[in-house]
Amino acid sequence: MGQWIPFAEGEYWVERAYLMTSVRTATPLEEATLEIYTGRDGIRRMRGSAKVKNLMVVKLLEDNDDLHLLIDLGEEFKYLMEYPELQAGKVFSPHVNAVVKFYPKKQWKQLSKEDFEAIIDGLQFVRE
């Protein structure tokens, strides 16, 4: 992947994050954070975590198998992470949030504020 992460090592709070499909159905992620660290190869890497209702993720997967992640770090730092690797618990109770961990499989795409908001405005949120 090369040195594509523009942030220094550390932990970053995510202002807004959404898990979405290619057909624009989505669910919000809560309490999302990113951790930037340097791997043994000297290249900066990223991993993140957030809380989500796993039942909502199952509903997303009923619409489409391709999941993407929208991340808003504030100001001009808005990104689309396509096809992230996801790891989550197996709690499917409608009112329980579980931790989901996510890792990029490829370089994320920076979006302009306008493009990011246009995507958000076009999302159809799944319901319980």
Side-chain angles (χ1 to χ4, degrees):
M1 265 193 257
Q3 200 73 275
W4 58 269
I5 298 174
F7 303 107
E9 286 189 33
E11 192 166 323
Y12 296 86
W13 286 102
V14 176
E15 289 190 12
R16 295 183 291 173
Y18 304 92
L19 196 56
M20 69 175 212
T21 68
S22 298
V23 294
R24 303 292 170 116
T25 54
T27 191
L29 301 179
E30 299 175 8
E31 300 176 31
T33 59
L34 295 180
E35 180 187 358
I36 309 299
Y37 62 98
T38 301
R40 285 185 245 177
D41 56 5
I43 295 176
R44 280 191 303 273
R45 306 226 178 259
M46 186 199 78
R47 60 183 159 227
S49 66
K51 291 183 179 177
V52 67
K53 292 183 178 166
N54 283 353
L55 190 58
M56 298 296 100
V57 177
V58 170
K59 287 187 178 205
L60 286 179
L61 291 169
E62 289 173 356
D63 288 336
N64 191 292
D65 288 338
D66 295 330
L67 295 179
H68 309 296
L69 189 59
L70 284 170
I71 298 174
D72 179 0
L73 297 170
E75 311 234 351
E76 74 272 11
F77 303 106
K78 295 168 184 1
Y79 298 93
L80 171 63
M81 186 185 303
E82 297 178 314
Y83 310 103
E85 179 180 329
L86 301 172
Q87 297 174 351
K90 294 176 176 55
V91 177
F92 296 104
S93 176
H95 304 293
V96 174
N97 284 355
V99 172
V100 62
K101 295 180 181 180
F102 51 89
Y103 308 86
K105 287 186 181 176
K106 60 182 186 174
Q107 184 171 337
W108 60 14
K109 296 179 183 177
Q110 187 166 10
L111 302 172
S112 68
K113 290 179 185 180
E114 296 78 18
D115 289 344
F116 187 87
E117 293 303 330
I119 292 172
I120 300 293
D121 290 344
L123 295 178
Q124 298 289 324
F125 289 95
V126 292
R127 306 247 185 256
E128 293 182 37

